[in-house]
Amino acid sequence: MQLNIIQGKIQESQADTLILNLFEGVTTPSGATGVVDKALNGAISEMISSGDLTGKPGEVGVVYTRGAIPARRVLVVGLGKPEDLNLEGVRQAAGAAIQRARDLNAKQVATVLHGAGAGGLEVGAVAQAVAEATLLALYRFELFKSKPEPKGEIESVTIVEAGEIAAAEAGVRSAESIAAGVYLARDLVNMPPNAATPTKLAEVAQEIAAAHGMKITVGDRQWAEQRHMGSFLGVAKGTLEPPKFIILEHNAERTDLDAYVLVGKGITFDSGGISLKPSENMGEMKSDMAGAAAVLGAMKVVGLLNLPLRVIGITPCTDNMPDGAAYHPADVLTASNGKTIEIISTDAEGRLILADALVYAGQYQPKAVIDLATLTGACVVALGSWTAAGLFSPDASLRDQL
């Protein structure tokens, strides 16, 4: 799909579908929505007065133009109350609208920048938010389907901006890089465990390194043994899949820069080990490497944007399996810093591989370490079943930014 930016008037766009917006409580549309409403002889106003269009967040109304303007249809997405609108609201609105456009088999779509006018949000930030939502909302994973579903695809999305084109372009370019990283992470998480093996994750890391000039280290069992990574290797004992301890370094030679380290849990399949999980829903444990996938995706973004930072991505990757060589409950493992760890459950393997990864991170004397993991179901027990993620940080500033 092509993502374009032009300067102009959206009502003149040759796209088959236009995306406009409406704040909750507005009875007479203004701005681009007002201009199109006038061109359509008040069709949008009629929907508002009839109660079919309220401007509530995520609501999408459809108006057919019947030749009054070049576009075939107009989608009007709700932004909620003006005082509540922020960039996340922009993303949600843009995502809802583009998915509705796809459902209607739109091919060429033109959209305004939601909130950049009456909403008072900065043009570049809004352009990035709209582009991110557009790209991410259209994501699909069909790699292993023998016959992909016959669904319509949007061919192009054009952002129409009246003034600050340079800022909008910069925002869109950033969004494209971020979306590429998210697509990579989603693809890896969606892959079956016989495809997204530690070897596969290492291959992906090598591709990132080659494309963006990063330093890469892929440690095998022997490499980890030489570094006394008994915690990581303890988990890897029970699997035939070769474990991989992956380190990607952006601006590795820039020792004058503060180091920021991303650490991601890479359990490519978690059976629970000898403390075997119930067989029901065990297949979901293919996604226990989502932390590593997120770090690899983030490192791809770092490379695409060529950030002026020193960033290190560390992903310890292995299966957790229960064969005859597997570690046992009551074993004592020794991590690379000499700490001994008594095993209560082999299904608490994530913290073991992360332990050696975090010790390894210490050699960079990092300004910050961000650790990402599908670590424990106890997070949901503690915080509630609707929890998206748990976040802990001893640094309030870093916590708030995350």
Side-chain angles (χ1 to χ4, degrees):
M1 185 195 74
Q2 287 187 317
L3 194 55
N4 310 305
I5 309 162
I6 65 169
Q7 190 170 33
K9 300 175 180 178
I10 195 164
Q11 69 272 19
E12 297 174 358
S13 171
Q14 297 300 310
D16 58 61
T17 302
L18 307 184
I19 298 176
L20 304 172
N21 56 61
L22 184 72
F23 281 112
E24 189 173 354
V26 170
T27 55
T28 303
S30 59
T33 307
V35 171
V36 173
D37 181 47
K38 185 175 181 180
L40 300 181
N41 296 314
I44 297 174
S45 292
E46 184 178 345
M47 289 184 68
I48 296 170
S49 62
S50 68
D52 293 341
L53 192 61
T54 66
K56 290 182 178 179
E59 173 192 68
V60 182
V62 184
V63 181
Y64 287 89
T65 66
R66 299 186 177 185
I69 58 175
R72 181 186 173 195
R73 66 177 72 83
V74 175
L75 306 187
V76 184
V77 63
L79 298 181
K81 296 178 180 178
E83 62 271 20
D84 295 335
L85 184 66
N86 55 25
L87 291 175
E88 182 57 24
V90 171
R91 288 187 192 92
Q92 292 180 9
I98 201 67
Q99 287 182 331
R100 185 76 172 104
R102 182 177 63 186
D103 292 344
L104 293 169
N105 294 313
K107 297 302 179 186
Q108 288 82 36
V109 177
T111 180
V112 295
L113 291 178
H114 313 299
L121 300 176
E122 192 268 321
V123 167
V126 171
Q128 180 174 332
V130 169
E132 284 172 355
T134 298
L135 292 166
L136 298 182
L138 296 178
Y139 170 83
R140 283 185 177 140
F141 183 75
E142 298 182 327
L143 185 60
F144 290 89
K145 288 187 176 180
S146 56
K147 187 176 181 181
E149 296 178 23
K151 292 181 179 178
E153 292 293 343
I154 293 174
E155 297 171 359
S156 68
V157 175
T158 300
I159 293 173
V160 182
E161 164 60 16
E164 301 178 47
I165 291 296
E169 286 179 342
V172 170
R173 299 292 86 86
S174 292
E176 288 177 326
S177 297
I178 291 167
V182 176
Y183 270 45
L184 172 61
R186 289 180 177 180
D187 283 349
L188 291 173
V189 171
N190 282 324
M191 284 182 186
N194 61 329
T197 62
T199 299
K200 173 63 176 178
L201 268 60
E203 290 171 355
V204 169
Q206 288 165 338
E207 290 170 2
I208 294 169
H212 305 293
M214 295 182 187
K215 179 181 177 181
I216 183 168
T217 302
V218 179
D220 57 12
R221 287 186 196 270
Q222 183 179 7
W223 180 94
E225 287 169 357
Q226 291 170 351
R227 287 155 183 81
H228 309 291
M229 293 182 172
S231 190
F232 170 64
L233 289 170
V235 177
K237 283 176 64 179
T239 177
L240 293 176
E241 284 288 344
K244 304 292 182 183
F245 195 100
I246 304 164
I247 305 112
L248 277 170
E249 300 182 52
H250 173 70
N251 283 332
E253 72 289 351
R254 292 291 307 275
T255 54
D256 58 309
L257 296 175
D258 289 327
Y260 296 88
V261 181
L262 309 178
V263 178
K265 175 186 171 183
I267 296 293
T268 47
F269 188 76
D270 183 18
S271 69
I274 289 177
S275 304
L276 195 67
K277 291 178 179 292
S279 59
E280 185 179 3
N281 299 323
M282 190 190 287
E284 293 179 4
M285 292 301 103
K286 70 174 188 175
S287 66
D288 213 13
M289 38 61 72
V295 168
L296 292 176
M299 293 305 292
K300 180 171 184 173
V301 178
V302 167
L304 286 169
L305 295 177
N306 193 22
L307 296 183
L309 302 169
R310 186 180 177 208
V311 185
I312 298 97
I314 301 175
T315 57
C317 300
T318 180
D319 279 353
N320 182 29
M321 297 294 285
D323 84 350
Y327 73 128
H328 321 90
D331 279 358
V332 175
L333 305 180
T334 304
S336 47
N337 63 349
K339 289 282 187 180
T340 53
I341 305 163
E342 182 182 9
I343 306 305
I344 297 172
S345 167
T346 63
D347 194 23
E349 81 299 326
R351 65 208 69 187
L352 295 174
I353 68 168
L354 291 169
D356 277 328
L358 291 169
V359 171
Y360 193 89
Q363 69 179 279
Y364 297 100
Q365 298 181 321
K367 186 171 184 180
V369 177
I370 300 170
D371 178 275
L372 300 161
T374 47
L375 192 58
T376 172
C379 181
V380 176
V381 174
L383 301 179
S385 60
W386 292 101
T387 298
L391 169 64
F392 168 79
S393 174
D395 184 281
S397 175
L398 178 60
R399 176 201 64 204
D400 293 346
Q401 290 180 71
L402 291 172

